[in-house]
Amino acid sequence: SSQQHQEAVHHCASSRCGEDSHGKLYKNDTETQLYSLKMYSIIHIFYNTIYDEDEVLLALAEQLGNFTMLVGGPEYVHCLLPPLESLATVEETVVRDKAVESLRKISQEHSPVDLEVHFEPLVKRLASGDWFTSRTSACGLFSVCYPRVSSTVKAEIRQHFRTLCSDDTPMVRRAAASKLGEFAKVLEPEYVKSDIISLFTALASDEQDSVRLLAVEACVSIATLLPQEDLETLVMPTLRQAAEDKSWRVRYMVADKFSELQKAVGSEITKNDLVPAFQNLLKDCEAEVRAAAANKVKEFCENLPEDNREQIIMTHILPCVKELVSDTNQHVKSALASVIMGLSTILGKDNTIEHLLPLFLAQLKDECPEVRLNIISNLDCVNEVIGIRQLSQSLLPAIVELAEDAKWRVRLAIIEYMPLLAGQLGVEFFDEKLNTLCMAWLIDHVYAIREAATCNLMKLVEKFGAEWAQNTIVPKVLGMANDPNYLHRMTTLFCINALSEACGQEITTKQMLPVVLKMSNDQVANVRFNVAKSLQKIGPVLDSNALQTEVKPVLEKLATDSDMDVKYFAQEAISGMFDFLLSTKLLNFNSLNFIFLLFFLCSFGPSITIPNQRLQDGICHGTLSNQTLKVIACLSQLHTFTSSAASSFVLCGKNTK
């Protein structure tokens, strides 16, 4: 309200500067007075922007949470409450949520006294507001102030929360249900039983399914707060009811939170109550519920008690899993395929071969590509237990189909798993069955596939070694340099960039470099400037003789190319080579090497811009000898460097004469 605004601003300013009997600011010191007057103006602006655009209000609500030190520290943080209170009542949900987040943040800055004097009354005003927006915001503030207030105030807070849980407006009940678990964690144990359980039961039976599903989420927190003997009587009846709720959204929430519920209630209740409930969720009539339950199969089985885990899985869970493998909904099958391989490590080798292997093979032949892809992406689980050879014959057709799938994202996904498959299947199987696929991806019509295929080759070389690459991969890659499609010729350069470091200096210099140099005469400018970029990329792998006799003439020619892009990237390559040599081979700024480097680069002509900062660094740190400094001075006088370079050496503060 306007009156609250005036009081808050007045208090903020008077607290900082002091106030006489007439209510006017008097001068303690100039800096403090000016500061307080500025804060007076800022808070006044905040009030005037309450009815501004939602984007402005959202930013304002977020920033006010960081204003503690700007209003004078924790002692005056309550001055921020009025504008945040107003923001917590606006219609736009994201603004209200951000205002509540800031209120929760600054509540920690309040002392216990200020919390009761300033913050707790704000929560009460919001909780009893006429408009539902203020009441929904209040639900998020009870838990942050409850632990630090007196017993009397705590009783009032509990009463306000009970009132909101039975509010006439569903949005308010939803907000209360979403904060029920959080509020329960800060309550004393006796009030969890007397207050929270009754609220939980009421919300879980609410007429709105959007409220009931949030009560399921709160069940996890409540179950962790109660002793084991109370769970069966206080929580499980409501949980059983939720697992069989008429709304599929509530059952979906139960399935989604099932692993957390399992950990909260313990092993005994899991065996007696949760195993049958999980079976029902796996057989649910709604596909969304079955998919959510299928996604929890591995985690649920891992958390079963060890003494009878295998028996429960084989008797109760595996029959349901077998039905889901042939489910009519592809999302259910895909969810199951993402976790089913993990059961092999739980059940062991014999059970995997007898019971799980047929399911894996069936899913590898599934018509849905996502199902096949999820099985392939988790092969490492099976490999640890039974080895991958037993799946190899069924793997190959599945991989080939995915590699040729019409959806490029499916092709991209299988490429990413290829190094893993190669490592598990071995080099012989890979060369015989999968090598052709990897090379075919290099000429795919989608750039993302060609790029991923290039990275795939690099990982394969790292796995199988440079000798394998020299005999198997490099000849095929270099053969693409003569392809009539310029995009495929560019792919050759991209592959060389990726493979040069993994293959080493000898292969790069003798086999790859000649192809790159030859491509500098390509008719397409895009290929030529990629040659310049490739020479810069593979430069660190080459020896100094190759740089001087082979790379330098080509870069000189490209630096004078008619195409401005080619010229630009050629000059970039020259500067990049200089940077590399200076930072690695000449890290200690050896004088003779440094002089050689300068003459080498200066031979490119005065049109090349030498990066002077690295030279300045060497001079500033005193790591260049007097002999080297003399050569630099001579070169600058010969105008090999730009005039700015010569002056920059003088500015370094060293005598370069």
Side-chain angles (χ1 to χ4, degrees), residues 152-185:
T152 304
V153 177
K154 284 182 177 180
E156 294 176 3
I157 291 175
R158 292 196 302 272
Q159 181 56 47
H160 278 294
F161 191 80
R162 281 195 296 269
T163 302
L164 293 180
C165 286
S166 57
D167 195 275
D168 293 335
T169 308
M171 286 80 81
V172 178
R173 299 200 301 275
R174 276 205 300 269
S178 68
K179 299 297 180 182
L180 181 63
E182 180 183 292
F183 188 53
K185 289 180 180 178

Side-chain angles (χ1 to χ4, degrees), residues 343-397:
L343 294 179
S344 58
T345 56
I346 300 173
L347 293 177
K349 183 176 181 179
D350 294 337
N351 285 326
T352 297
I353 294 174
E354 183 179 353
H355 299 286
L356 295 181
L357 189 59
L359 303 182
F360 301 156
L361 296 175
Q363 290 189 301
L364 279 172
K365 299 174 183 177
D366 195 275
E367 60 183 9
C368 177
E370 284 80 9
V371 175
R372 303 195 299 271
L373 191 61
N374 284 341
I375 288 292
I376 291 172
S377 64
N378 290 283
L379 283 174
D380 53 327
C381 299
V382 177
N383 191 37
E384 294 174 7
V385 180
I386 63 171
I388 207 169
R389 286 291 176 181
Q390 301 208 39
L391 286 172
S392 59
Q393 295 305 314
S394 297
L395 267 176
L396 188 59

